[in-house]
Amino acid sequence: MTSERSERQEEIIEAAGKILTSSGVSGLTIKNLAKEMKFSESAIYRHFTSKEEIIIAMLSFLSESIDQRLSELNNYSNPEEKFTAMFREQFRFFNLNPHFVVAVFSDGLMEETRRINEAILKLMNAKMKHLMPVIMEGQQKGVFTNAITSDEMVHIVMGTFKLMMFKWKCANFQFDIKRNGENMIQSLLTLIKSK
């Protein structure tokens, strides 16, 4: 995603995401990571100095990914199309990369360290940076309701997305997230659109 990370570091980040998704924070150890990658532990340490550094790199990778992918969606002319495209892109990405679903539930990583909390906040801000202007534009143009504030609407939308991803993870990724995600998008639009 960024030139600052090597291909090997990105492979380690991906493996860390798989372990976090299946085993949680307690399962992410350098030993388990080395086993997952069929490396020696010292090979992992050549790329990252600690578990904390790996988690922060993964969260930063995802922040950059969200920012890049959602920045490419600016060619939609109306807020409803932008809103739909944003969430379709997120469902597409997670369908291809289910091992990064843990980032949606990054609150499970919270309180690990101050630096991890800062990386989680950066990830949340990357999502909100793209969603908030779409909601505000939709409200200004009368496409979305003004009965609730844009802040409240962002929280409702992001919470709904998080719940959908949680259900998918609990179902061991067995249902079609793109199809269910499409239903979620349409339901949200029904709720937030002006009548």
Side-chain angles (χ1 to χ4, degrees):
M1 195 95 309
T2 173
S3 57
E4 294 175 24
R5 279 187 288 275
S6 69
E7 188 176 320
R8 181 67 72 207
Q9 285 175 314
E10 291 189 5
E11 289 171 6
I12 293 168
I13 288 167
E14 187 170 322
K18 289 177 182 174
I19 292 169
L20 282 167
T21 298
S22 64
S23 307
V25 178
S26 61
L28 180 61
T29 63
I30 298 299
K31 182 177 184 173
N32 287 345
L33 194 52
K35 185 177 174 184
E36 170 77 21
M37 297 197 69
K38 298 175 177 56
F39 283 179
S40 66
E41 290 179 44
S42 61
I44 302 289
Y45 282 116
R46 279 198 293 274
H47 298 282
F48 292 103
T49 60
S50 66
K51 170 179 159 177
E52 176 192 50
E53 191 179 315
I54 294 168
I55 293 172
I56 289 168
M58 182 187 71
L59 293 168
S60 295
F61 174 88
L62 289 164
S63 293
E64 293 160 11
S65 168
I66 286 170
D67 198 40
Q68 178 189 338
R69 288 181 293 106
L70 298 187
S71 291
E72 294 169 1
L73 301 176
N74 288 333
N75 56 343
Y76 290 92
S77 59
N78 74 56
E80 185 177 343
E81 287 177 356
K82 286 180 193 172
F83 181 92
T84 301
M86 284 176 67
F87 284 97
R88 281 182 180 154
E89 172 53 28
Q90 287 293 80
F91 289 123
R92 183 202 66 77
F93 175 81
F94 284 112
N95 189 54
L96 294 173
N97 303 282
H99 47 276
F100 286 137
V101 167
V102 69
V104 178
F105 313 109
S106 49
D107 48 331
L109 303 172
M110 288 182 82
E111 298 175 11
E112 282 291 305
T113 69
R114 180 186 54 77
R115 289 182 61 221
I116 289 175
N117 286 347
E118 288 169 359
I120 291 168
L121 187 59
K122 184 179 173 188
L123 178 61
M124 288 190 318
N125 287 337
K127 295 173 190 173
M128 289 173 57
K129 168 186 164 187
H130 293 279
L131 181 58
M132 182 63 83
V134 172
I135 298 292
M136 290 173 72
E137 179 188 359
Q139 288 181 313
Q140 289 165 357
K141 291 183 174 177
V143 176
F144 300 150
T145 182
N146 282 297
I148 57 174
T149 68
S150 52
D151 277 340
E152 291 165 338
M153 199 176 295
V154 165
H155 285 101
I156 290 166
V157 168
M158 287 180 65
T160 303
F161 173 74
K162 187 171 180 175
L163 179 60
M164 171 68 74
M165 300 306 285
F166 180 70
K167 286 171 61 179
W168 188 46
K169 181 183 181 295
C170 288
N172 201 28
F173 310 111
Q174 293 302 306
F175 63 80
D176 184 342
I177 192 62
K178 287 166 68 174
R179 185 173 50 84
N180 285 39
E182 189 65 34
N183 292 340
M184 185 207 89
I185 292 165
Q186 296 311 313
S187 296
L188 279 170
L189 286 170
T190 300
L191 291 172
I192 68 174
K193 281 172 68 174
S194 296
K195 303 296 181 235

